[in-house]
Amino acid sequence: MNKNLKEQVLRSSGVNVLKCMRCGKCSGTCPSYDEMEYHPHQFVYMVEKGDIETLMKSPSIYKCLTCFACVERCPRNVEPAKVVEAVRLAAVRQQDGNHLSPDMIPEMLDDDLPQQAIVTALRKYAK
Amino acid sequence: MQRIGVFVCHCGTNIAATVDVKTVAETLGKEPGVVISQDYQYMCSESGQNLVKDAIKEHNLTGIVICSCSPRMHENTFRKAAAAAGLNPYLVEIANIREQCSWIHKEIATATEKAVILGRAAIAKVHLNAPLTAGESPVVKKALVIGGGIAGIQTALDIAEAGFDVDIVEKNPTIGGKMAQIDKTFPTLDCAACILTPKMVEASQNERITIRSFSEVTDVKGFVGNFTVKIKKKARYVDETKCTGCGLCTEKCPMKKVPNEFNMGLDNRSAVYIPFAQAVPKVATIDPNYCMMLKTGKCGVCSKVCSVGAINYKQQDEIIEEKYGAIIVATGFNPISLDKYDEFAYGQSPDVVTSLELERLMNAAGPNGGTLLRPSDKTHPHTIVFVQCVGSRCDDSKGKPYCSKICCMYTAKHAMLIREKYPDTEVYVFYIDVRTPGKNFDEFYRRAVEQYNVHYIKGMVGKVTPKSDGKIDVQASDLLANEQLHINADMVVLAAAIEPDKTARPLATMLTTQMDTNDFFTEAHPKLRPVESATAGIFLSGACQGPKDIPETVAQASAAAAKAIGLLCKNSITCNPCVAHSNELMCNGCSSCEKVCPYGAITYIDKEFRMPDRTTKVRRVASVNPAVCQGCGACTVACPSGAMDLNGFSNSQIMAEVDAICK
Amino acid sequence: MQEAMINKAKQLLADGTVSRVIGWKRGEFAYDITPAVFETAEELEKDFVFDDFTSANVSKYLVKESKKEGKVLVFLKPCDTYSLNQLTKEHRVDRDNIYVVGIPGGPKLDIEKIKAKGITGITSVKNDNFTLKIETLYGEETMPFYEAVLDKCASCKSKKHVTYDELIGEDGDTLESNRFDMVEQLENMTSQERYDFWRSELSKCIRCNACRNVCPACTCENCVFDNPASGIDNKAPADSFEENMFHIIRAFHVAGRCTDCGECSRVCPQHIPLHLLNRKFIKDINSLYGEYQAGADTTSRAPLTDYTADDCEASIVHERGVE
Amino acid sequence: MQVNDNKEFQPLIVAFCCNWCSYAGADLSGTNRLNYPTNVKIIRVPCSCRVNPMFILRAFQKGADGVILCGCHPGDCHYTSGNYFTRRRMTLLFSMLDFLGIERDRTRVEWVSAAEGAKFAATMNEFTEAVKKLGPNRRLEDLRCRKQ
């Protein structure tokens, strides 16, 4: 188990996975359930165990629609969708190499590009 | 001149190992007013106590200070010893040199120094102690039970059995409560009515019990042993003394479209009604919201058909005032409203019902005469899904954070009964955990699984969707099989969380009792005093204190009765003498103290004062009822003039302690 | 205005509505105004005065006067009505025995501020279009009107009468006032600066008890500072601690009850800004427990006799920033 | 102020503890042998709401360097509501002392339950350290009461 990774996921999601009482309502309510290898309740449980790498490798992270049905219905306010999103972010951040380097940016700029998009792109694609 | 004795305890080596007890005794012996200062190995032992007693007599002591363990431990021991030697027990002070000195400090020099200071503070305080005598107040030998469910009935029966008068106040037209609505009881599957209704009859026939049905408590004044309670007897437009309960009026009443509360609104009743056949008292009640006569003045059928002339359209609410010595709260519970749970489609489909509704659907006296039929089309359901923990164990704003405790068992009961009666029905129970602590409870649940083949699936239902063909799609995940399920159900039964009755919160305010954030009454001690409230003379019975099943409720009801009987047996009760008192000469009558008193112990009187010029002047001054005051001291600080002071912890005593410590 | 008030008083005396009148009368000098009780029309004609110096809050006199035989007429400025309400709430006055005629409020003048300009021998003053024309024995002097206004009037919180039986003139509204500016300024100082400020102010205290005696919230039958059994009685501040003690305890005792009438500072012969202590409490109460104006009504619970389960913790004082 | 051999400043701390929670919590820290400094001297009161601001000022007057008030946690008061009143009173009093330039770390309110022996000891250690850092109480002392 990778402790740093767990820390990172917990921090970036802001979720307290220990609040989960394992009722499975998130998975019971999930519209993408059948598409997923790991289901919302498993995300919460596996993050609690620290088994993040398995989740990061799974295509499940891209199957979540972020519809927030699980967040809406969770009786314990655990917010599984935020956990999924945090694992997805962790995977994105770990992708090897830079997709962008700062000096490539000026020529890509145009007036219509929102400032926020540039910052987001850098955060997502640069190391 | 004060003659104070100081007694320093070694507590074996507990104190003596870190505190030089000889030095402490010697140093404190030099304090002003101290005439004898001794140390001894175990002050609390018989011989230690005798040492104290002898010293009191021999030196004619006016106060004693024991330097020993915490006053929470042995204050009473030494007070009793003092009393036995003829010294007022409130002239005893304890300096805590064990828990707050020898046990936490290691260095003998500093620990000894601190022990001396603590001893000095106690001596300074005891100099100002006044002899206090506990007052007595008489006990009215009658109890009030608020709520006429099984808890209230059992409590009332037990109290009456012990020979005391008891009134039951029930807000509904009949006693019986939730248990009267239940079909069968777990884990024995005996019929609820068969065991409850004899008790209801017993209560009505017991000459010591007065049932005040269709009534509410509106005001509570007074204190333990002497409560004055106002009870509103709501107008039922029927003379209870005349009505024979023949039921003719209910048959003839033309207004028949009133949702029947007793059957959870699953069928209708008439505007004049008797809730159910075994109601106690078996008296008709007119519902003013629906009665044509009361609304428009046109009808009067019931009055015409009543052969005894019991109908009285002009009846008014009536306020009765009664005195009681003890009050037992038995206000019970209700299922929570499921309006906020859209995902379970309650309210969207008549075939999604709560468990209490299912009880009525299955009951022989229910809307379908005991045959389980879908409310929508009155057909026999073939697939039934039970959803557990609806609103229980929730951390969100919709539900309750606690486990409702009874749902696991009644669901197993429902599942079993259905499988027994209709073996062609598939029953699914979606659970998070199955909790069955109780005698024969787990065996019962296992029978549902093993003998009746009820499908228990671990996983919460995510979504319930009524379909156009009348079926209901239940979407859930099976956590153990790791798959998502869709069940095509005919009926869905929701195990709604239970919550305290809505009348409990205003009642708690009237009674000045404590409640937790969920509106359950708080017991005086969670382990050792589970049926008493923190307010003396108020006891708790049944689910108003926390979720409970019937056997637990009955056990607590009898326990509350026992506690109440213990109080009613006494002719008078001894009061705590460490209470507040107001110096009338200084009191401004400003009402600040009254506002902060949690017990309503302070009232105002107009008192006549003789002025220096021989005239008299009437002034409003505060007066503390010593039987009600619990001695917290909130009033003493609220009082700007310093007129309010507290016996045993007076302003001057505490300041003397401060001075002694800071000297 | 004075004329109208005298006429109103005479009328109410004549028709038996009231048997005495609380107002003001002139002392030795034009600016030397003192509260007074009048019982006849003649007394009123002779002595009753209402002008720019009649700033005293007479509500406290009602504690005694309202308990005497017969109804008492009292003229109250808007700020004084708050005090009366507070006294009514605390059962210190018999409201049924009082006939309140609401009169317009200030701004009233501070004689000390005029004298500070070096103007002496004052015989009368007149507000002429915000210039104060002062007749003196040595001729006429002028100064800007607002420079002579009492501090308590300069930060007026309300022109609205919260209780009255009758009004002379129009009723006003509550105002946005700057009354917490000075408190805020002190709060922004360092602890040492604040300490120095208050030491220099409170060390002037001579314990004349003027602040206590004028305060409409200080109506105790027997003040704790006069009670040897209270453990804090003292007659004169022998030491810096006792100077602090008196004013802290006094402010605490009136906390949540003080209507901010400003009389304590007005009467202080040493010019200690005592109202700042009360305003500090008012400001804290407003910000921590919700806006509360003592005396605005006669039924609400005072902040110190009330609570909510989610009140802030006392540590909020420590969290306000570390110096 | 106490003087001990190494001449380190030893503050005098007065702790007012409510009988039902904090005093019992202090007893528990004794039972569990959890050390806290001898500087702390406890005065037992029935409820934290019994503590009059006058007592606190009196302690400072007579030479205390810090005063701490302990009561049941909000909602757990033995007398239902006492500590809620305490909380308001002390918030305002402490704010006033701060306003007068008295060091704010000399006063504190802490909620300690009967089960929190460890918290009691930790609180007292921490508070004593904080007061020690401030040095002797000079801004709110009565010179006549100063010990040599």
Side-chain angles (χ1 to χ4, degrees):
Chain A
M1 125 173 195
N2 186 333
K3 262 200 164 163
N4 289 338
L5 215 46
K6 181 181 172 184
E7 280 285 298
Q8 182 197 332
V9 168
L10 290 180
R11 203 175 36 202
S12 63
S13 66
V15 165
N16 178 3
V17 287
L18 295 176
K19 287 177 76 171
C20 174
M21 64 168 167
R22 323 229 187 284
C23 72
K25 197 174 182 184
C26 46
S27 291
T29 207
C30 179
S32 304
Y33 187 95
D34 290 336
E35 306 285 320
M36 295 169 98
E37 180 188 3
Y38 297 105
H39 306 113
H41 73 278
Q42 287 170 297
F43 267 85
V44 176
Y45 185 54
M46 286 163 80
V47 168
E48 189 193 321
K49 281 197 305 182
D51 189 6
I52 315 264
E53 274 132 337
T54 317
L55 289 173
M56 284 163 62
K57 284 187 207 116
S58 163
S60 298
I61 52 176
Y62 301 108
K63 300 293 182 190
C64 168
L65 303 170
T66 329
C67 72
F68 277 57
C70 51
V71 172
E72 180 59 32
R73 293 190 184 142
C74 174
R76 308 285 311 162
N77 268 336
V78 178
E79 307 179 310
K82 292 191 179 173
V83 177
V84 179
E85 170 68 13
V87 175
R88 186 156 49 201
L89 264 179
V92 168
R93 284 190 196 176
Q94 270 197 359
Q95 277 161 6
D96 278 345
N98 280 339
H99 296 247
L100 274 180
S101 75
D103 41 304
M104 288 158 70
I105 291 172
E107 59 192 66
M108 296 165 70
L109 292 181
D110 70 68
D111 291 345
D112 295 332
L113 192 65
Q115 178 84 19
Q116 203 173 353
I118 306 168
V119 178
T120 312
L122 263 179
R123 276 179 54 189
K124 268 199 165 174
Y125 299 119
K127 259 188 161 178
Chain B
M1 184 59 202
Q2 293 275 16
R3 302 173 56 78
I4 292 163
V6 176
F7 303 90
V8 185
C9 180
H10 298 204
C11 197
T13 56
N14 277 308
I15 293 171
T18 21
V19 169
D20 180 352
V21 284
K22 298 268 177 218
T23 311
V24 173
E26 204 175 298
T27 320
L28 292 179
K30 292 173 194 149
E31 287 291 304
V34 175
V35 292
I36 175 173
S37 183
Q38 286 179 296
D39 62 282
Y40 186 70
Q41 209 152 22
Y42 289 104
M43 275 298 167
C44 60
S45 69
E46 178 116 28
S47 44
Q49 289 187 49
N50 285 336
L51 189 84
V52 175
K53 288 181 198 166
D54 293 343
I56 292 172
K57 287 179 195 144
E58 186 185 336
H59 297 273
N60 204 10
L61 298 182
T62 58
I64 57 172
V65 168
I66 317 275
C67 301
S68 63
C69 54
S70 171
R72 297 171 54 85
M73 193 75 77
H74 278 308
E75 189 170 51
N76 260 338
T77 313
F78 293 113
R79 277 184 177 168
K80 276 186 193 150
L87 183 70
N88 184 288
Y90 293 90
L91 299 174
V92 177
E93 282 299 326
I94 310 284
N96 185 344
I97 61 165
R98 192 178 77 174
E99 281 86 345
Q100 295 179 6
C101 190
S102 71
W103 275 355
I104 42 167
H105 306 313
K106 290 189 179 120
E107 242 179 82
I108 293 181
T110 50
T112 306
E113 189 191 342
K114 176 168 169 180
V116 169
I117 292 173
L118 294 178
R120 269 195 203 127
I123 294 168
K125 187 177 179 196
V126 86
H127 264 286
L128 298 165
N129 278 20
L132 300 176
T133 318
E136 290 202 335
S137 89
V139 176
V140 177
K141 298 199 168 271
K142 188 174 181 187
L144 169 67
V145 175
I146 304 171
I150 180 61
I153 295 171
Q154 183 63 47
T155 304
L157 284 172
D158 286 350
I159 294 174
E161 186 71 14
F164 296 103
D165 288 341
V166 50
D167 288 5
I168 301 177
V169 170
E170 166 59 52
K171 67 177 189 302
N172 292 319
T174 173
I175 59 169
K178 289 284 172 300
M179 189 172 167
Q181 289 176 282
I182 295 174
D183 186 32
K184 299 267 187 332
T185 56
F186 61 77
T188 46
L189 293 183
D190 42 356
C191 133
C194 310
I195 52 179
L196 175 68
T197 48
K199 281 210 180 280
M200 291 163 63
V201 173
E202 206 185 323
S204 74
Q205 288 176 346
N206 192 313
E207 56 188 19
R208 292 206 173 274
I209 299 179
T210 309
I211 297 173
R212 300 188 182 281
S213 62
F214 214 48
S215 301
E216 280 167 25
V217 171
T218 56
D219 185 52
V220 179
K221 287 264 169 336
F223 47 91
V224 52
N226 200 356
F227 294 103
T228 306
V229 180
K230 283 200 180 120
I231 300 164
K232 182 169 87 179
K233 199 166 173 296
K234 295 180 281 188
R236 68 199 311 164
Y237 307 103
V238 173
D239 188 333
E240 281 177 48
T241 55
K242 289 184 187 161
C243 178
T244 59
C246 70
L248 195 57
C249 52
T250 65
E251 271 168 45
K252 299 291 180 198
C253 175
M255 181 62 213
K256 294 232 183 314
K257 288 266 159 89
V258 187
N260 185 352
E261 305 87 349
F262 186 70
N263 280 339
M264 304 303 291
L266 292 164
D267 66 351
N268 290 329
R269 60 163 169 83
S270 47
V272 55
Y273 67 107
I274 297 173
F276 56 99
Q278 298 82 14
V280 169
K282 197 167 181 194
V283 175
T285 305
I286 296 179
D287 187 336
N289 296 320
Y290 292 94
C291 172
M292 298 311 288
M293 188 66 186
L294 290 171
K295 283 174 75 177
T296 64
K298 291 189 189 116
C299 181
V301 170
C302 50
S303 170
K304 279 173 211 139
V305 300
C306 182
S307 57
V308 293
I311 307 287
N312 174 7
Y313 299 115
K314 297 218 168 67
Q315 207 175 60
Q316 298 282 323
D317 288 355
E318 204 184 320
I319 301 282
I320 304 163
E321 195 174 288
E322 284 280 347
K323 281 194 168 292
Y324 301 101
I327 297 178
I328 300 96
V329 184
T331 45
F333 71 95
N334 275 310
I336 63 165
S337 152
L338 296 178
D339 294 346
K340 290 178 189 159
Y341 287 94
D342 288 342
E343 64 265 38
F344 295 127
Y346 181 77
Q348 293 168 38
S349 163
D351 297 331
V352 179
V353 298
T354 65
S355 299
L356 194 52
E357 288 165 5
L358 183 73
E359 291 281 355
R360 296 315 302 155
L361 287 174
M362 290 169 61
N363 191 292
N368 301 330
T371 316
L372 180 58
L373 300 174
R374 281 169 29 121
S376 61
D377 53 10
K378 306 284 179 201
T379 58
H380 169 57
H382 292 280
T383 307
I384 301 181
V385 170
F386 285 88
V387 186
Q388 298 291 82
C389 298
V390 176
S392 295
R393 308 167 69 190
C394 284
D395 195 33
D396 54 22
S397 56
K398 295 191 281 191
K400 303 287 173 186
Y402 49 83
C403 166
S404 295
K405 198 170 183 179
I406 55 176
C407 324
C408 286
M409 285 303 290
Y410 70 59
T411 298
K413 173 190 77 177
H414 289 154
M416 205 185 280
L417 288 172
I418 291 171
R419 288 283 299 159
E420 163 100 17
K421 224 168 159 187
Y422 312 102
D424 61 333
T425 308
E426 289 299 324
V427 176
Y428 297 88
V429 177
F430 284 92
Y431 69 94
I432 304 173
D433 303 287
V434 178
R435 295 177 168 177
T436 55
K439 192 171 165 185
N440 292 327
F441 281 16
D442 206 63
E443 296 90 319
F444 184 78
Y445 152 61
R446 290 314 308 168
R447 253 165 68 207
V449 176
E450 293 167 26
Q451 200 175 324
Y452 288 93
N453 208 4
V454 177
H455 308 299
Y456 269 78
I457 299 169
K458 177 163 170 71
M460 185 68 178
V461 167
K463 196 160 167 51
V464 174
T465 324
K467 296 196 294 189
S468 51
D469 63 357
K471 293 271 193 175
I472 304 166
D473 177 57
V474 179
Q475 179 185 323
S477 69
D478 182 334
L479 293 181
L480 300 178
N482 205 11
E483 61 176 346
Q484 199 174 53
L485 299 175
H486 283 270
I487 291 174
N488 206 17
D490 297 310
M491 265 183 89
V492 174
V493 184
L494 306 175
I498 58 174
E499 64 179 358
D501 193 81
K502 294 273 180 259
T503 57
R505 173 64 62 177
L507 184 65
T509 313
M510 276 187 255
L511 296 169
T512 65
T513 48
Q514 298 170 28
M515 280 193 142
D516 63 20
T517 50
N518 299 312
D519 281 8
F520 285 114
F521 282 89
T522 309
E523 57 279 16
H525 189 283
K527 285 162 201 76
L528 303 178
R529 296 172 68 194
V531 299
E532 294 156 85
S533 79
T535 306
I538 313 260
F539 306 95
L540 310 174
S541 171
C544 67
Q545 179 258 347
K548 276 184 194 62
D549 59 29
I550 295 168
E552 261 187 285
T553 296
V554 172
Q556 205 202 12
S558 288
K563 285 285 172 190
I565 293 164
L567 168 61
L568 296 175
C569 280
K570 293 177 187 160
N571 290 323
S572 62
I573 39 171
T574 314
C575 315
N576 167 22
C578 293
V579 292
H581 60 92
S582 140
N583 181 340
E584 288 165 345
L585 288 173
M586 294 201 290
C587 175
N588 303 326
C590 72
S591 286
S592 297
C593 51
E594 178 204 21
K595 298 229 168 66
V596 298
C597 179
Y599 305 101
I602 301 171
T603 48
Y604 289 85
I605 49 171
D606 285 321
K607 186 157 171 125
E608 241 177 51
F609 289 92
R610 256 177 99 70
M611 306 305 287
D613 60 359
R614 297 191 173 187
T615 57
T616 55
K617 184 171 146 188
V618 177
R619 243 178 349 104
R620 174 188 150 92
V621 291
S623 154
V624 181
N625 184 336
V628 186
C629 175
Q630 304 286 313
C632 67
C635 53
T636 60
V637 183
C639 178
S641 66
M644 200 56 95
D645 209 345
L646 188 65
N647 286 339
F649 292 94
S650 69
N651 287 331
S652 53
Q653 283 177 307
I654 297 176
M655 292 230 226
E657 280 184 272
V658 170
D659 290 356
I661 285 173
C662 298
K663 198 155 67 181
Chain C
M1 179 53 63
Q2 178 175 327
E3 194 76 353
M5 288 163 70
I6 292 175
N7 287 338
K8 172 54 65 184
K10 284 203 288 196
Q11 177 213 324
L12 290 168
L13 275 177
D15 67 17
T17 312
V18 300
S19 58
R20 37 196 202 288
V21 180
I22 299 184
W24 303 264
K25 72 177 180 189
R26 205 180 302 282
E28 202 161 336
F29 303 105
Y31 48 80
D32 179 15
I33 304 285
T34 168
V37 179
F38 304 87
E39 289 186 345
T40 61
E42 293 71 41
E43 285 172 19
L44 284 164
E45 285 287 354
K46 187 164 156 277
D47 289 328
F48 188 95
V49 57
F50 182 75
D51 62 15
D52 287 336
F53 288 113
T54 49
S55 51
N57 176 355
V58 295
S59 58
K60 187 174 183 176
Y61 296 92
L62 292 166
V63 174
K64 282 220 165 69
E65 288 299 327
S66 76
K67 285 171 191 151
K68 290 182 183 163
E69 200 58 39
K71 215 164 179 167
V72 56
L73 165 65
V74 65
F75 290 105
L76 295 182
K77 303 188 291 324
C79 46
D80 307 340
T81 60
Y82 286 85
S83 306
L84 176 60
N85 252 358
Q86 185 64 26
L87 288 166
T88 309
K89 186 187 202 170
E90 294 175 4
H91 308 277
R92 298 297 289 148
V93 295
D94 183 358
R95 180 67 179 85
D96 295 338
N97 213 21
I98 302 168
Y99 193 89
V100 178
V101 173
I103 50 167
K108 301 286 177 185
L109 298 179
D110 186 346
I111 185 62
E112 301 293 338
K113 288 188 177 173
I114 299 173
K115 284 182 177 169
K117 293 270 178 191
I119 303 169
T120 54
I122 300 155
T123 55
S124 76
V125 295
K126 202 173 141 219
N127 177 6
D128 188 0
N129 204 17
F130 301 112
T131 302
L132 193 63
K133 297 209 164 142
I134 307 151
E135 295 291 336
T136 76
L137 297 171
Y138 320 105
E140 192 186 90
E141 303 262 8
T142 61
M143 70 183 282
F145 179 76
Y146 276 103
E147 284 181 21
V149 163
L150 275 169
D151 284 343
K152 70 168 188 168
C153 295
S155 57
C156 180
K157 63 179 181 294
S158 174
K159 295 271 186 205
K160 183 180 155 71
H161 295 83
V162 288
T163 177
Y164 58 83
D165 297 299
E166 195 176 324
L167 275 181
I168 298 182
E170 297 271 293
D171 202 6
D173 270 320
T174 52
L175 308 175
E176 283 289 318
S177 93
N178 55 354
R179 59 188 176 132
F180 297 123
D181 287 1
M182 187 58 192
V183 175
E184 220 159 275
Q185 209 175 312
L186 278 162
E187 285 172 345
N188 291 332
M189 291 180 180
T190 64
S191 172
Q192 181 68 45
E193 284 167 345
R194 275 200 298 273
Y195 179 71
D196 294 340
F197 171 84
W198 282 111
R199 221 56 306 284
S200 73
E201 292 295 344
L202 293 179
S203 60
K204 294 189 290 194
C205 175
I206 54 170
R207 264 307 282 284
C208 64
N209 285 333
C211 50
R212 182 183 83 181
N213 294 354
V214 79
C215 176
C218 270
T219 64
C220 282
E221 296 290 326
N222 190 349
C223 177
V224 283
F225 288 99
D226 292 342
N227 175 9
S230 74
I232 57 162
D233 66 311
N234 57 11
K235 295 288 179 198
D239 147 294
S240 67
F241 177 83
E242 282 178 353
E243 290 157 7
N244 284 332
M245 170 88 154
F246 175 73
H247 292 290
I248 296 173
I249 294 292
R250 207 186 80 77
F252 190 83
H253 279 180
V254 301
R257 305 166 55 231
C258 166
T259 63
D260 197 12
C261 74
E263 288 285 90
C264 44
S265 294
R266 184 181 71 83
V267 301
C268 181
Q270 296 289 78
H271 307 303
I272 304 172
L274 292 167
H275 65 284
L276 291 178
L277 296 174
N278 301 326
R279 281 192 185 160
K280 168 66 179 164
F281 274 139
I282 295 171
K283 184 169 178 283
D284 278 347
I285 287 168
N286 284 348
S287 65
L288 299 176
Y289 310 124
E291 291 282 328
Y292 181 83
Q293 172 60 54
D297 62 86
T298 55
T299 49
S300 63
R301 265 178 114 89
L304 275 174
T305 57
D306 200 5
Y307 64 88
T308 64
D310 45 11
D311 280 341
C312 62
E313 295 296 337
S315 56
I316 195 165
V317 177
H318 300 255
E319 286 152 12
R320 276 191 196 137
V322 181
E323 283 147 19
Chain D
M1 193 178 38
Q2 301 156 342
V3 181
N4 71 1
D5 299 329
N6 55 14
K7 298 285 183 222
E8 187 196 14
F9 164 61
Q10 289 297 330
L12 173 58
I13 311 280
V14 175
F16 291 97
C17 291
C18 87
N19 183 43
W20 306 97
C21 286
S22 308
Y23 195 87
D27 279 353
L28 183 63
S29 72
T31 313
N32 293 341
R33 312 296 200 272
L34 301 166
N35 295 12
Y36 56 86
T38 51
N39 310 55
V40 178
K41 312 285 191 301
I42 295 172
I43 293 179
R44 184 166 70 125
V45 285
C47 175
S48 58
C49 70
R50 177 65 188 92
V51 178
N52 197 311
M54 296 193 296
F55 303 160
I56 294 172
L57 294 180
R58 175 78 155 219
F60 283 123
Q61 175 184 26
K62 300 285 176 173
D65 301 294
V67 177
I68 182 165
L69 211 161
C70 299
C72 309
H73 284 269
D76 292 348
C77 177
H78 179 79
Y79 304 102
T80 322
S81 53
N83 52 7
Y84 288 128
F85 292 119
T86 308
R87 187 160 65 176
R88 283 203 171 186
R89 288 167 185 164
M90 293 306 141
T91 305
L92 290 182
L93 178 71
F94 294 175
S95 178
M96 177 53 76
L97 293 177
D98 178 45
F99 189 63
L100 291 172
I102 315 301
E103 303 92 334
R104 29 173 102 104
D105 287 340
R106 290 203 190 276
T107 48
R108 188 184 288 191
V109 172
E110 202 69 53
W111 310 125
V112 182
S113 83
E116 293 176 327
K119 181 178 176 186
F120 185 87
T123 303
M124 292 306 152
N125 281 315
E126 207 182 293
F127 186 62
T128 309
E129 271 317 300
V131 176
K132 217 177 242 180
K133 269 192 207 130
L134 290 174
N137 162 36
R138 289 287 175 255
R139 293 187 184 173
L140 201 57
E141 70 167 344
D142 193 326
L143 283 175
R144 296 166 299 176
C145 301
R146 188 189 280 196
K147 284 169 291 257
Q148 299 315 312

